[in-house]
Structure formats: structure tokens, C-alpha cells
């Protein structure tokens, strides 16, 4: 719960869909009917609203200040209600991790994730990753099933930006692309597997363009590689997302991108 008037952050794979029936169970046992306001499998984030006021709201910390080795606590309900309110402890194992996951919209690269060895199991999803001051610095999302002690959380900075936009505008600020950061190793792999001719080896590589978004209106397509925003070179998807957030609602971006070996430009209105 991130606001006293009932806004709640969780995972997309917990909320499932906009028309899902949601029941929110408070720690005192009260059950509240929830409504999914927004959900996105590419970020694995969702915003839920309950019709209630005066709720205790959690404090979101600054995930950008984390360093490897910081102690953290994960809270959740693993494996069913029998183990509700389970708390596990660990450390920040790594930062800025990229994990490839499958979504209903195709393969997606989740970037900038926090890696922790605090035990995260099925049912912990959507629960908080908390620093030693009791501030939420991440939202637990996925774990590596074939290994022990490798779990991931969405940084609080990402979750807070989305939550604030939903609360104030009713929708998030987005460009409308799936993809990841292109590296020389990834470029080599793409060339070998697909035969695509890539003119560059750095940039934001688009794996899919979502319909009815600014990216679709600008004519961007699968396989395009965005290399600069407003004339400033970018190394990958993080810089592209940062540029979108800085431009804000109604902002305009001039994107330089490659389609095959051809360099093109597009004007995007957010």
C-alpha cells in the first residue's frame, strides 16, 4: 500500500488482467475488494485500488542509493496462506541485472533489477524488499528456479515513477516498445541466429512495438535499434527510458535509429 487512500503496487503476474477479481487481505484480517487500474507484463508491475481511506502506507526508499552488500528483508506469502507474512533476510547481491522473461506479448528483457539472496519463493511476488531502515527499495518479482539464493526485485524508483503517474494521470508515461540493450555479444548472436544485418552494436534493440502507442504512431518496428535521442547517443534501453521520463506527458523526442543498415529518424510525441 503506497498511499493512505488505497493505491497498491504489485506484480502484473499477480494482478493478471484489468478485469480480474481482486481481494486484498489486510494484516488485521479485513478483506477489501480491489480494482486493477493498470497492469503491464513488460515491467511486471500493476496498480490496484481499494475503496478505503486512512490505510497505513509504506515508505518508498531510494533504490538508486543501494550498494552491493546492503542488508535487505523480503516479506511475502510463499506457497499459500499457510505461510503468510513470511520474512526472510539477505543482502543485495548485485545491481542492474537483466533477465529475459516470456510474456503474453513476447520475449521481454527486464533490466535494472536488484539481485538478492533473501529467499524469494512463489507467493513472494509483489511483496516488498525492504532496507534496514524499513523503507521499501524493491518489489519482488522473479527468481532463478534452477538455483538457490538468486532472486530479483524491481527497483523502487521504477515502481514509484509508475505509481505516481497512475495516481496523477490515470495512465503511465510510455514509449511503447519491448526490447533490451544491444551489446557486441548480443549483436553477434542476433546475426548468427537471424541473419539480420546490424549496422551498430550499441543501442536500444526493439523486439516488439506495442499497438496504439507513441512508438507505433512514429513508425518504429521490430528489429530497429535506437542509437540517439534528441541528438544525444544512448547505449541502451535504460537511457531511452530515462529520456522518456524526462520528456514527460506531451513531450517530444527525436529518435535516431537503424533499420538494417539504413539510418533513420522519427519524431515521437508522448
Amino acid at each position: 500500500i503506497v498511499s493512505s487512500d488505497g493505491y497498491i503496487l504489485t506484480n502484473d503476474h499477480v494482478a493478471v488482467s484489468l478485469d480480474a477479481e481482486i481481494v486484498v487481505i489486510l494484516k488485521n484480517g479485513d478483506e477489501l475488494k480491489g480494482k486493477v487500474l493498470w497492469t503491464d507484463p513488460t515491467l511486471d508491475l500493476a496498480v490496484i485500488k481499494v475503496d478505503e481511506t486512512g490505510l497505513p502506507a509504506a515508505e518508498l526508499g531510494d533504490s538508486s542509493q543501494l550498494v552491493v552488500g546492503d542488508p535487505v528483508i523480503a516479506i511475502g506469502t510463499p506457497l499459500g496462506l499457510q505461510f503468510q507474512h513470511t520474512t526472510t533476510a539477505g543482502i543485495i547481491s548485485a545491481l542492474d541485472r537483466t533477465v529475459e522473461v516470456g510474456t503474453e506479448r513476447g520475449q521481454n528483457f527486464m533490466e535494472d533489477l536488484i539481485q538478492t539472496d533473501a529467499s524469494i519463493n512463489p507467493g513472494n511476488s509483489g511483496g516488498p524488499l525492504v532496507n534496514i531502515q524499513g523503507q521499501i527499495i524493491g518489489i519482488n518479482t522473479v527468481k532463478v528456479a534452477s538455483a538457490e539464493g538468486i532472486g530479483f526485485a524491481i527497483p523502487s524508483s521504477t515502481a514509484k515513477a509508475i505509481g505516481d503517474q497512475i495516481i496523477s494521470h490515470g495512465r503511465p508515461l510510455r514509449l511503447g516498445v519491448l526490447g533490451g540493450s544491444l551489446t557486441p555479444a548480443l549483436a553477434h548472436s542476433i546475426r548468427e541466429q537471424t541473419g539480420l544485418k546490424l549496422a551498430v552494436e550499441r543501442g536500444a534493440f526493439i523486439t516488439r512495438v506495442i499497438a496504439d502507442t507513441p512508438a507505433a504512431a512514429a513508425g518504429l518496428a521490430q528489429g530497429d535499434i535506437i542509437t540517439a535521442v534528441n541528438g544525444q547517443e544512448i547505449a541502451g534501453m535504460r537511457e531511452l527510458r530515462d529520456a522518456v521520463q524526462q520528456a514527460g506527458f506531451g513531450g517530444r523526442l527525436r529518435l535516431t535509429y537503424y533499420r538494417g543498415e539504413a539510418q533513420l529518424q522519427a519524431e515521437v510525441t508522448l
Side-chain angles (χ1 to χ4, degrees):
I1 302 174
V2 292
S3 72
S4 61
D5 53 348
Y7 286 91
I8 299 169
L9 290 174
T10 188
N11 290 145
D12 165 81
H13 74 263
V14 173
V16 181
S17 68
L18 289 173
D19 56 359
E21 294 185 9
I22 301 293
V23 176
V24 176
I25 305 174
L26 301 183
K27 193 173 189 305
N28 63 9
D30 288 352
E31 296 188 7
L32 305 175
K33 185 177 181 180
K35 176 179 175 57
V36 182
L37 298 183
W38 170 86
T39 188
D40 187 344
T42 65
L43 293 171
D44 198 22
L45 277 175
V47 178
I48 291 171
K49 180 71 168 63
V50 295
D51 189 15
E52 190 71 37
T53 58
L55 295 172
E59 179 185 356
L60 294 177
D62 186 357
S63 57
S64 69
Q65 299 301 309
L66 294 173
V67 297
V68 173
D70 280 349
V72 289
I73 295 167
I75 304 173
T77 301
L79 309 178
L81 292 177
Q82 177 183 0
F83 301 113
Q84 61 185 312
H85 312 313
T86 292
T87 302
T88 56
I91 62 169
I92 299 293
S93 304
L95 297 167
D96 302 326
R97 289 301 202 201
T98 298
V99 178
E100 185 178 2
V101 294
T103 76
E104 62 183 29
R105 298 178 181 179
Q107 289 301 107
N108 182 52
F109 293 87
M110 295 183 67
E111 295 189 327
D112 306 331
L113 295 180
I114 300 167
Q115 181 183 330
T116 179
D117 65 350
S119 182
I120 294 176
N121 294 293
N124 277 98
S125 296
L129 190 67
V130 184
N131 65 17
I132 206 67
Q133 287 79 36
Q135 301 167 324
I136 294 175
I137 47 82
I139 296 180
N140 301 324
T141 176
V142 295
K143 67 168 293 184
V144 177
S146 59
E148 294 295 328
I150 302 180
F152 300 95
I154 302 162
S156 60
S157 56
T158 300
K160 184 179 187 305
I162 294 293
D164 288 348
Q165 290 161 12
I166 298 295
I167 293 171
S168 59
H169 294 275
R171 63 189 186 280
L173 178 66
R174 64 189 307 201
L175 179 60
V177 298
L178 279 71
S181 297
L182 187 65
T183 63
L186 182 57
H188 176 73
S189 176
I190 291 171
R191 290 188 185 104
E192 283 201 334
Q193 294 179 21
T194 68
L196 286 175
K197 295 182 178 180
L198 304 180
V200 293
E201 296 187 336
R202 295 282 185 187
F205 183 76
I206 299 175
T207 58
R208 185 167 180 183
V209 176
I210 308 302
D212 301 320
T213 62
L220 293 174
Q222 179 183 13
D224 290 347
I225 305 168
I226 301 173
T227 57
V229 179
N230 295 335
Q232 297 294 316
E233 290 188 0
I234 62 171
M237 193 61 72
R238 180 196 296 179
E239 290 92 338
L240 179 60
R241 285 201 302 265
D242 289 347
V244 169
Q245 295 302 320
Q246 291 171 11
F249 286 93
R252 295 177 64 85
L253 298 175
R254 187 178 77 259
L255 304 179
T256 302
Y257 64 98
Y258 282 85
R259 181 170 295 169
E261 297 180 320
Q263 187 187 70
L264 304 170
Q265 289 199 340
E267 293 284 340
V268 178
T269 301
L270 300 171

